PDB file of all heavy atoms in Angstrom:
ATOM      1  N   ALA J 163       3.503  32.132  38.150  1.00 77.00           N
ATOM      2  CA  ALA J 163       2.230  31.626  38.672  1.00 77.00           C
ATOM      3  C   ALA J 163       1.563  32.746  39.438  1.00 77.00           C
ATOM      4  O   ALA J 163       2.206  33.713  39.832  1.00 77.00           O
ATOM      5  CB  ALA J 163       2.474  30.427  39.569  1.00 77.00           C
ATOM      6  N   GLY J 164       0.273  32.625  39.626  1.00 81.00           N
ATOM      7  CA  GLY J 164      -0.455  33.609  40.421  1.00 81.00           C
ATOM      8  C   GLY J 164      -1.688  32.938  41.002  1.00 81.00           C
ATOM      9  O   GLY J 164      -1.982  31.785  40.664  1.00 81.00           O
ATOM     10  N   GLU J 165      -2.393  33.657  41.839  1.00 89.00           N
ATOM     11  CA  GLU J 165      -3.634  33.099  42.403  1.00 89.00           C
ATOM     12  C   GLU J 165      -4.654  32.913  41.288  1.00 89.00           C
ATOM     13  O   GLU J 165      -4.785  33.758  40.405  1.00 89.00           O
ATOM     14  CB  GLU J 165      -4.197  34.049  43.464  1.00 89.00           C
ATOM     15  CG  GLU J 165      -3.538  33.901  44.816  1.00 89.00           C
ATOM     16  CD  GLU J 165      -4.283  34.720  45.870  1.00 89.00           C
ATOM     17  OE1 GLU J 165      -5.509  34.558  45.989  1.00 89.00           O
ATOM     18  OE2 GLU J 165      -3.624  35.530  46.532  1.00 89.00           O
ATOM     19  N   THR J 166      -5.399  31.799  41.339  1.00 93.00           N
ATOM     20  CA  THR J 166      -6.355  31.525  40.257  1.00 93.00           C
ATOM     21  C   THR J 166      -7.733  32.097  40.573  1.00 93.00           C
ATOM     22  O   THR J 166      -8.079  32.359  41.717  1.00 93.00           O
ATOM     23  CB  THR J 166      -6.483  30.014  39.990  1.00 93.00           C
ATOM     24  OG1 THR J 166      -6.851  29.376  41.206  1.00 93.00           O
ATOM     25  CG2 THR J 166      -5.186  29.425  39.490  1.00 93.00           C
ATOM     26  N   PHE J 167      -8.504  32.269  39.500  1.00 93.00           N
ATOM     27  CA  PHE J 167      -9.846  32.855  39.532  1.00 93.00           C
ATOM     28  C   PHE J 167     -10.784  32.053  40.441  1.00 93.00           C
ATOM     29  O   PHE J 167     -10.860  30.836  40.330  1.00 93.00           O
ATOM     30  CB  PHE J 167     -10.379  32.842  38.095  1.00 93.00           C
ATOM     31  CG  PHE J 167     -11.678  33.553  37.888  1.00 93.00           C
ATOM     32  CD1 PHE J 167     -11.711  34.932  37.756  1.00 93.00           C
ATOM     33  CD2 PHE J 167     -12.876  32.839  37.790  1.00 93.00           C
ATOM     34  CE1 PHE J 167     -12.911  35.596  37.529  1.00 93.00           C
ATOM     35  CE2 PHE J 167     -14.070  33.494  37.570  1.00 93.00           C
ATOM     36  CZ  PHE J 167     -14.085  34.872  37.432  1.00 93.00           C
ATOM     37  N   GLN J 168     -11.470  32.747  41.334  1.00 92.00           N
ATOM     38  CA  GLN J 168     -12.426  32.087  42.234  1.00 92.00           C
ATOM     39  C   GLN J 168     -13.736  32.881  42.253  1.00 92.00           C
ATOM     40  O   GLN J 168     -13.710  34.102  42.124  1.00 92.00           O
ATOM     41  CB  GLN J 168     -11.884  32.061  43.678  1.00 92.00           C
ATOM     42  CG  GLN J 168     -10.584  31.313  43.853  1.00 92.00           C
ATOM     43  CD  GLN J 168     -10.773  29.810  43.800  1.00 92.00           C
ATOM     44  OE1 GLN J 168     -11.798  29.299  44.236  1.00 92.00           O
ATOM     45  NE2 GLN J 168      -9.802  29.098  43.267  1.00 92.00           N
ATOM     46  N   LEU J 169     -14.844  32.172  42.412  1.00 92.00           N
ATOM     47  CA  LEU J 169     -16.139  32.836  42.604  1.00 92.00           C
ATOM     48  C   LEU J 169     -16.806  32.245  43.838  1.00 92.00           C
ATOM     49  O   LEU J 169     -16.828  31.021  43.996  1.00 92.00           O
ATOM     50  CB  LEU J 169     -17.043  32.620  41.382  1.00 92.00           C
ATOM     51  CG  LEU J 169     -16.647  33.338  40.086  1.00 92.00           C
ATOM     52  CD1 LEU J 169     -17.522  32.854  38.928  1.00 92.00           C
ATOM     53  CD2 LEU J 169     -16.760  34.853  40.226  1.00 92.00           C
ATOM     54  N   PRO J 170     -17.374  33.089  44.715  1.00 93.00           N
ATOM     55  CA  PRO J 170     -18.051  32.539  45.895  1.00 93.00           C
ATOM     56  C   PRO J 170     -19.351  31.832  45.500  1.00 93.00           C
ATOM     57  O   PRO J 170     -19.951  32.165  44.477  1.00 93.00           O
ATOM     58  CB  PRO J 170     -18.340  33.777  46.758  1.00 93.00           C
ATOM     59  CG  PRO J 170     -18.343  34.921  45.794  1.00 93.00           C
ATOM     60  CD  PRO J 170     -17.401  34.558  44.689  1.00 93.00           C
ATOM     61  N   PRO J 171     -19.814  30.832  46.295  1.00 93.00           N
ATOM     62  CA  PRO J 171     -21.075  30.141  45.992  1.00 93.00           C
ATOM     63  C   PRO J 171     -22.251  31.121  45.958  1.00 93.00           C
ATOM     64  O   PRO J 171     -22.223  32.163  46.625  1.00 93.00           O
ATOM     65  CB  PRO J 171     -21.232  29.151  47.152  1.00 93.00           C
ATOM     66  CG  PRO J 171     -19.879  29.032  47.767  1.00 93.00           C
ATOM     67  CD  PRO J 171     -19.174  30.320  47.504  1.00 93.00           C
ATOM     68  N   VAL J 172     -23.264  30.807  45.175  1.00 92.00           N
ATOM     69  CA  VAL J 172     -24.450  31.668  45.032  1.00 92.00           C
ATOM     70  C   VAL J 172     -25.701  30.803  45.125  1.00 92.00           C
ATOM     71  O   VAL J 172     -25.796  29.770  44.470  1.00 92.00           O
ATOM     72  CB  VAL J 172     -24.450  32.379  43.652  1.00 92.00           C
ATOM     73  CG1 VAL J 172     -25.752  33.150  43.437  1.00 92.00           C
ATOM     74  CG2 VAL J 172     -23.265  33.329  43.542  1.00 92.00           C
ATOM     75  N   SER J 173     -26.656  31.226  45.933  1.00 92.00           N
ATOM     76  CA  SER J 173     -27.946  30.516  45.977  1.00 92.00           C
ATOM     77  C   SER J 173     -29.020  31.455  46.514  1.00 92.00           C
ATOM     78  O   SER J 173     -29.219  31.573  47.707  1.00 92.00           O
ATOM     79  CB  SER J 173     -27.823  29.279  46.873  1.00 92.00           C
ATOM     80  OG  SER J 173     -29.057  28.596  46.901  1.00 92.00           O
ATOM     81  N   THR J 174     -29.678  32.174  45.590  1.00 94.00           N
ATOM     82  CA  THR J 174     -30.756  33.095  45.988  1.00 94.00           C
ATOM     83  C   THR J 174     -31.885  33.026  44.974  1.00 94.00           C
ATOM     84  O   THR J 174     -31.662  32.664  43.815  1.00 94.00           O
ATOM     85  CB  THR J 174     -30.255  34.558  46.025  1.00 94.00           C
ATOM     86  OG1 THR J 174     -29.694  34.883  44.744  1.00 94.00           O
ATOM     87  CG2 THR J 174     -29.206  34.791  47.099  1.00 94.00           C
ATOM     88  N   ARG J 175     -33.083  33.392  45.410  1.00 95.00           N
ATOM     89  CA  ARG J 175     -34.220  33.513  44.481  1.00 95.00           C
ATOM     90  C   ARG J 175     -34.286  34.939  43.970  1.00 95.00           C
ATOM     91  O   ARG J 175     -34.006  35.882  44.704  1.00 95.00           O
ATOM     92  CB  ARG J 175     -35.540  33.191  45.207  1.00 95.00           C
ATOM     93  CG  ARG J 175     -35.820  31.711  45.344  1.00 95.00           C
ATOM     94  CD  ARG J 175     -37.197  31.490  45.944  1.00 95.00           C
ATOM     95  NE  ARG J 175     -38.251  31.868  45.014  1.00 95.00           N
ATOM     96  CZ  ARG J 175     -39.529  32.022  45.361  1.00 95.00           C
ATOM     97  NH1 ARG J 175     -39.908  31.840  46.595  1.00 95.00           N
ATOM     98  NH2 ARG J 175     -40.433  32.351  44.458  1.00 95.00           N
ATOM     99  N   THR J 176     -34.665  35.102  42.704  1.00 94.00           N
ATOM    100  CA  THR J 176     -34.797  36.455  42.155  1.00 94.00           C
ATOM    101  C   THR J 176     -36.164  36.608  41.495  1.00 94.00           C
ATOM    102  O   THR J 176     -36.760  35.632  41.036  1.00 94.00           O
ATOM    103  CB  THR J 176     -33.712  36.743  41.096  1.00 94.00           C
ATOM    104  OG1 THR J 176     -33.802  35.740  40.077  1.00 94.00           O
ATOM    105  CG2 THR J 176     -32.322  36.698  41.687  1.00 94.00           C
ATOM    106  N   ALA J 177     -36.651  37.855  41.464  1.00 96.00           N
ATOM    107  CA  ALA J 177     -37.875  38.191  40.727  1.00 96.00           C
ATOM    108  C   ALA J 177     -37.644  39.584  40.164  1.00 96.00           C
ATOM    109  O   ALA J 177     -37.593  40.557  40.911  1.00 96.00           O
ATOM    110  CB  ALA J 177     -39.082  38.165  41.655  1.00 96.00           C
ATOM    111  N   GLU J 178     -37.429  39.669  38.843  1.00 96.00           N
ATOM    112  CA  GLU J 178     -37.017  40.941  38.254  1.00 96.00           C
ATOM    113  C   GLU J 178     -37.824  41.295  37.013  1.00 96.00           C
ATOM    114  O   GLU J 178     -38.181  40.421  36.217  1.00 96.00           O
ATOM    115  CB  GLU J 178     -35.524  40.894  37.881  1.00 96.00           C
ATOM    116  CG  GLU J 178     -34.616  40.724  39.093  1.00 96.00           C
ATOM    117  CD  GLU J 178     -33.146  40.715  38.741  1.00 96.00           C
ATOM    118  OE1 GLU J 178     -32.797  40.608  37.543  1.00 96.00           O
ATOM    119  OE2 GLU J 178     -32.338  40.802  39.677  1.00 96.00           O
ATOM    120  N   PHE J 179     -38.088  42.601  36.871  1.00 97.00           N
ATOM    121  CA  PHE J 179     -38.746  43.130  35.674  1.00 97.00           C
ATOM    122  C   PHE J 179     -37.776  44.116  35.039  1.00 97.00           C
ATOM    123  O   PHE J 179     -37.403  45.102  35.662  1.00 97.00           O
ATOM    124  CB  PHE J 179     -40.044  43.829  36.066  1.00 97.00           C
ATOM    125  CG  PHE J 179     -40.885  44.261  34.884  1.00 97.00           C
ATOM    126  CD1 PHE J 179     -41.990  43.515  34.497  1.00 97.00           C
ATOM    127  CD2 PHE J 179     -40.570  45.407  34.167  1.00 97.00           C
ATOM    128  CE1 PHE J 179     -42.756  43.908  33.400  1.00 97.00           C
ATOM    129  CE2 PHE J 179     -41.321  45.802  33.066  1.00 97.00           C
ATOM    130  CZ  PHE J 179     -42.429  45.052  32.684  1.00 97.00           C
ATOM    131  N   TRP J 180     -37.335  43.833  33.813  1.00 96.00           N
ATOM    132  CA  TRP J 180     -36.396  44.700  33.108  1.00 96.00           C
ATOM    133  C   TRP J 180     -37.133  45.451  32.007  1.00 96.00           C
ATOM    134  O   TRP J 180     -37.882  44.861  31.237  1.00 96.00           O
ATOM    135  CB  TRP J 180     -35.259  43.880  32.504  1.00 96.00           C
ATOM    136  CG  TRP J 180     -34.310  43.369  33.546  1.00 96.00           C
ATOM    137  CD1 TRP J 180     -34.504  42.305  34.372  1.00 96.00           C
ATOM    138  CD2 TRP J 180     -33.044  43.936  33.900  1.00 96.00           C
ATOM    139  NE1 TRP J 180     -33.436  42.160  35.217  1.00 96.00           N
ATOM    140  CE2 TRP J 180     -32.518  43.148  34.952  1.00 96.00           C
ATOM    141  CE3 TRP J 180     -32.301  45.020  33.439  1.00 96.00           C
ATOM    142  CZ2 TRP J 180     -31.278  43.412  35.538  1.00 96.00           C
ATOM    143  CZ3 TRP J 180     -31.067  45.278  34.009  1.00 96.00           C
ATOM    144  CH2 TRP J 180     -30.572  44.484  35.049  1.00 96.00           C
ATOM    145  N   VAL J 181     -36.909  46.766  31.950  1.00 94.00           N
ATOM    146  CA  VAL J 181     -37.618  47.608  30.979  1.00 94.00           C
ATOM    147  C   VAL J 181     -36.729  47.838  29.762  1.00 94.00           C
ATOM    148  O   VAL J 181     -35.559  48.199  29.898  1.00 94.00           O
ATOM    149  CB  VAL J 181     -37.995  48.962  31.617  1.00 94.00           C
ATOM    150  CG1 VAL J 181     -38.729  49.837  30.597  1.00 94.00           C
ATOM    151  CG2 VAL J 181     -38.860  48.739  32.841  1.00 94.00           C
ATOM    152  N   ALA J 182     -37.292  47.611  28.572  1.00 91.00           N
ATOM    153  CA  ALA J 182     -36.538  47.830  27.333  1.00 91.00           C
ATOM    154  C   ALA J 182     -37.463  48.449  26.298  1.00 91.00           C
ATOM    155  O   ALA J 182     -38.689  48.426  26.442  1.00 91.00           O
ATOM    156  CB  ALA J 182     -35.988  46.504  26.813  1.00 91.00           C
ATOM    157  N   ASN J 183     -36.861  48.981  25.234  1.00 90.00           N
ATOM    158  CA  ASN J 183     -37.644  49.575  24.158  1.00 90.00           C
ATOM    159  C   ASN J 183     -38.116  48.453  23.224  1.00 90.00           C
ATOM    160  O   ASN J 183     -37.499  48.172  22.213  1.00 90.00           O
ATOM    161  CB  ASN J 183     -36.762  50.587  23.406  1.00 90.00           C
ATOM    162  CG  ASN J 183     -37.528  51.267  22.289  1.00 90.00           C
ATOM    163  OD1 ASN J 183     -38.755  51.231  22.264  1.00 90.00           O
ATOM    164  ND2 ASN J 183     -36.812  51.868  21.359  1.00 90.00           N
ATOM    165  N   THR J 184     -39.196  47.799  23.604  1.00 90.00           N
ATOM    166  CA  THR J 184     -39.690  46.639  22.848  1.00 90.00           C
ATOM    167  C   THR J 184     -41.211  46.607  22.867  1.00 90.00           C
ATOM    168  O   THR J 184     -41.830  47.002  23.848  1.00 90.00           O
ATOM    169  CB  THR J 184     -39.122  45.319  23.445  1.00 90.00           C
ATOM    170  OG1 THR J 184     -39.831  44.210  22.881  1.00 90.00           O
ATOM    171  CG2 THR J 184     -39.291  45.265  24.954  1.00 90.00           C
ATOM    172  N   GLN J 185     -41.794  46.135  21.760  1.00 92.00           N
ATOM    173  CA  GLN J 185     -43.262  46.015  21.685  1.00 92.00           C
ATOM    174  C   GLN J 185     -43.742  44.644  22.155  1.00 92.00           C
ATOM    175  O   GLN J 185     -44.932  44.398  22.230  1.00 92.00           O
ATOM    176  CB  GLN J 185     -43.732  46.236  20.227  1.00 92.00           C
ATOM    177  CG  GLN J 185     -43.358  47.595  19.659  1.00 92.00           C
ATOM    178  CD  GLN J 185     -43.875  48.754  20.516  1.00 92.00           C
ATOM    179  OE1 GLN J 185     -45.051  48.814  20.834  1.00 92.00           O
ATOM    180  NE2 GLN J 185     -42.978  49.640  20.911  1.00 92.00           N
ATOM    181  N   VAL J 186     -42.800  43.739  22.418  1.00 95.00           N
ATOM    182  CA  VAL J 186     -43.159  42.375  22.815  1.00 95.00           C
ATOM    183  C   VAL J 186     -42.466  42.032  24.133  1.00 95.00           C
ATOM    184  O   VAL J 186     -41.613  42.778  24.603  1.00 95.00           O
ATOM    185  CB  VAL J 186     -42.751  41.356  21.723  1.00 95.00           C
ATOM    186  CG1 VAL J 186     -43.690  41.419  20.544  1.00 95.00           C
ATOM    187  CG2 VAL J 186     -41.304  41.592  21.280  1.00 95.00           C
ATOM    188  N   ASN J 187     -42.840  40.908  24.712  1.00 97.00           N
ATOM    189  CA  ASN J 187     -42.281  40.502  26.008  1.00 97.00           C
ATOM    190  C   ASN J 187     -41.380  39.276  25.843  1.00 97.00           C
ATOM    191  O   ASN J 187     -41.555  38.481  24.918  1.00 97.00           O
ATOM    192  CB  ASN J 187     -43.417  40.142  26.978  1.00 97.00           C
ATOM    193  CG  ASN J 187     -44.436  41.258  27.086  1.00 97.00           C
ATOM    194  OD1 ASN J 187     -44.077  42.402  27.294  1.00 97.00           O
ATOM    195  ND2 ASN J 187     -45.712  40.927  26.922  1.00 97.00           N
ATOM    196  N   PHE J 188     -40.450  39.153  26.777  1.00 97.00           N
ATOM    197  CA  PHE J 188     -39.606  37.959  26.869  1.00 97.00           C
ATOM    198  C   PHE J 188     -39.707  37.500  28.318  1.00 97.00           C
ATOM    199  O   PHE J 188     -39.302  38.233  29.226  1.00 97.00           O
ATOM    200  CB  PHE J 188     -38.159  38.292  26.509  1.00 97.00           C
ATOM    201  CG  PHE J 188     -38.001  38.858  25.117  1.00 97.00           C
ATOM    202  CD1 PHE J 188     -38.101  40.234  24.894  1.00 97.00           C
ATOM    203  CD2 PHE J 188     -37.769  38.030  24.037  1.00 97.00           C
ATOM    204  CE1 PHE J 188     -37.958  40.758  23.624  1.00 97.00           C
ATOM    205  CE2 PHE J 188     -37.629  38.549  22.760  1.00 97.00           C
ATOM    206  CZ  PHE J 188     -37.724  39.919  22.541  1.00 97.00           C
ATOM    207  N   CYS J 189     -40.273  36.317  28.540  1.00 98.00           N
ATOM    208  CA  CYS J 189     -40.518  35.839  29.903  1.00 98.00           C
ATOM    209  C   CYS J 189     -39.599  34.653  30.204  1.00 98.00           C
ATOM    210  O   CYS J 189     -39.356  33.814  29.333  1.00 98.00           O
ATOM    211  CB  CYS J 189     -41.966  35.371  30.056  1.00 98.00           C
ATOM    212  SG  CYS J 189     -43.177  36.598  29.534  1.00 98.00           S
ATOM    213  N   ALA J 190     -39.112  34.583  31.428  1.00 98.00           N
ATOM    214  CA  ALA J 190     -38.287  33.431  31.827  1.00 98.00           C
ATOM    215  C   ALA J 190     -38.566  33.078  33.276  1.00 98.00           C
ATOM    216  O   ALA J 190     -38.811  33.953  34.109  1.00 98.00           O
ATOM    217  CB  ALA J 190     -36.808  33.753  31.644  1.00 98.00           C
ATOM    218  N   ARG J 191     -38.562  31.777  33.539  1.00 98.00           N
ATOM    219  CA  ARG J 191     -38.692  31.287  34.919  1.00 98.00           C
ATOM    220  C   ARG J 191     -37.699  30.141  35.082  1.00 98.00           C
ATOM    221  O   ARG J 191     -37.585  29.289  34.198  1.00 98.00           O
ATOM    222  CB  ARG J 191     -40.127  30.818  35.177  1.00 98.00           C
ATOM    223  CG  ARG J 191     -40.352  30.290  36.583  1.00 98.00           C
ATOM    224  CD  ARG J 191     -41.845  30.283  36.933  1.00 98.00           C
ATOM    225  NE  ARG J 191     -42.279  31.613  37.349  1.00 98.00           N
ATOM    226  CZ  ARG J 191     -43.567  31.958  37.503  1.00 98.00           C
ATOM    227  NH1 ARG J 191     -44.523  31.088  37.229  1.00 98.00           N
ATOM    228  NH2 ARG J 191     -43.876  33.178  37.888  1.00 98.00           N
TER     229      ARG J 191
END
């Protein structure tokens, strides 16, 4: 047996622009 996988709670707002080699856009909210 071993210690099991844990993740701390997360609650934040984000606003990000990612640059890629593309002629079109992909938008998400």
Side-chain angles (χ1 to χ4, degrees):
E165 278 189 53
T166 56
F167 187 81
Q168 299 285 326
L169 290 172
V172 174
S173 181
T174 55
R175 279 186 70 193
T176 56
E178 296 182 348
F179 187 101
W180 288 78
V181 180
N183 181 17
T184 168
Q185 300 304 308
V186 285
N187 307 310
F188 301 89
C189 307
R191 180 161 279 169

